[in-house]
Each structure stands twice: as structure tokens, then as C-alpha cells.
């Protein structure tokens, strides 16, 4: 695994994830998801989570999958996003006294799109750096 490619891909992936999270959770679907409390460290933890996801995807793409194109990154990211969305959605349904299936679908949709775009960005970085 090329360490430099892993690091740059992880940073790019984290930035893309943060920007898409702001777009989806902060703007488009802000009425469906609670907004972070400004008095806590919520934004710090959100940012850390975005970069953790970027590095997670970069590790998979560099170490195991050797993904180096936009299309391969998009496809692999969308599949990872589907399963992550299903996991998050099912656990969320388990916590609700009245299941919200609309929110379940939104979570899966957002997860697929965000992971797909993050994956595409990392695929581009990998292709340019190798």
C-alpha cells in the first residue's frame, strides 16, 4: 500500500464526506435530522467521523481493492454505502417506538450517495497518484 496515496485519499474522502454531510443533513434534510448543539463539541466529532470514514474507504481502496478510477470508486462506494445505510437504518428502527420507514429510506439513500461520491473522489485520487 502506498502510504502517501492512502493519506491524500483519506483527506480528500473526509473533506468530501463532510461537505456532503453538510449538504444532506444540514440543508436538504435538516427537518428530518437533529441539528448539532452549538454548545457541545458536536462539529468536532462530526468532522472526526467524516475523516475516519474517508480513511476507512481509502484503506479499503488502496490495500485490498486497488480501486483507481472514478467509476470503480463510485460503484464500490455505493455498495458500501448501501450496507452502511441498512445497518444504521435497522438500528434506528429498533430504537423507535413507532418505526419511521420514510426516514429509513432517506438514511439508505443518503448513505449510498455519500459513500458513492466519497468513493469516486478517492478512486480519482488513487488513479492520479499511481
Amino acid at each position: 500500500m502506498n502510504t502517501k496515496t492512502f493519506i491524500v485519499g483519506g483527506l480528500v474522502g473526509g473533506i468530501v464526506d463532510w461537505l456532503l454531510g453538510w449538504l444532506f443533513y444540514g440543508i436538504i434534510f435538516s427537518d428530518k435530522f437533529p441539528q448539532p448543539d452549538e454548545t457541545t463539541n458536536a462539529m468536532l466529532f462530526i468532522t472526526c467521523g467524516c475523516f475516519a470514514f474517508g480513511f476507512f474507504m481509502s484503506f479499503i481502496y488502496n490495500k485490498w481493492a486497488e480501486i483507481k478510477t472514478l467509476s470503480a470508486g463510485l460503484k464500490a462506494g455505493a455498495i458500501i454505502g448501501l450496507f452502511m445505510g441498512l445497518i444504521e437504518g435497522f438500528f434506528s428502527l429498533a430504537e423507535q417506538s413507532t418505526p419511521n420507514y420514510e426516514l429509513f429510506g432517506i438514511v439508505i439513500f443518503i448513505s449510498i450517495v455519500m459513500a458513492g461520491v466519497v468513493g469516486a473522489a478517492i478512486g480519482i485520487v488513487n488513479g492520479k497518484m499511481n
Side-chain angles (χ1 to χ4, degrees), residues 1-14 51-64 122 125-126 129-130:
M1 178 172 73
N2 183 326
T3 304
K4 182 178 176 183
T5 304
F6 162 70
I7 292 171
V8 173
L11 291 172
V12 168
F51 281 99
F53 182 67
F55 282 103
F56 169 71
M57 295 279 284
S58 185
F59 181 82
I60 290 170
Y61 282 26
N62 281 288
K63 181 73 173 177
W64 294 325
I122 294 171
V125 167
N126 290 350
M129 295 190 70
N130 286 325

Side-chain angles (χ1 to χ4, degrees), residues 15 23 28 33 35 51 66 76 84 93 95 100 103 120 124:
I15 292 167
L23 177 66
I28 297 172
F33 297 95
Q35 298 305 298
F51 281 99
E66 297 183 14
M84 289 180 63
L93 286 175
E95 296 173 347
N100 185 338
L103 192 59
I124 291 170

Side-chain angles (χ1 to χ4, degrees), residues 61-125:
Y61 282 26
N62 281 288
K63 181 73 173 177
W64 294 325
E66 297 183 14
I67 292 174
K68 298 178 183 176
T69 65
L70 181 146
S71 63
L74 179 67
K75 289 174 191 174
I79 291 168
I80 291 169
L82 169 65
F83 286 107
M84 289 180 63
L86 287 169
I87 293 165
E88 180 183 350
F90 283 128
F91 281 121
S92 179
L93 286 175
E95 296 173 347
Q96 301 168 6
S97 57
T98 305
N100 185 338
Y101 296 108
E102 177 188 12
L103 192 59
F104 178 77
I106 292 170
V107 164
I108 293 170
F109 168 77
I110 291 172
S111 185
I112 290 169
V113 172
M114 286 180 62
V117 175
V118 168
I122 294 171
I124 291 170
V125 167

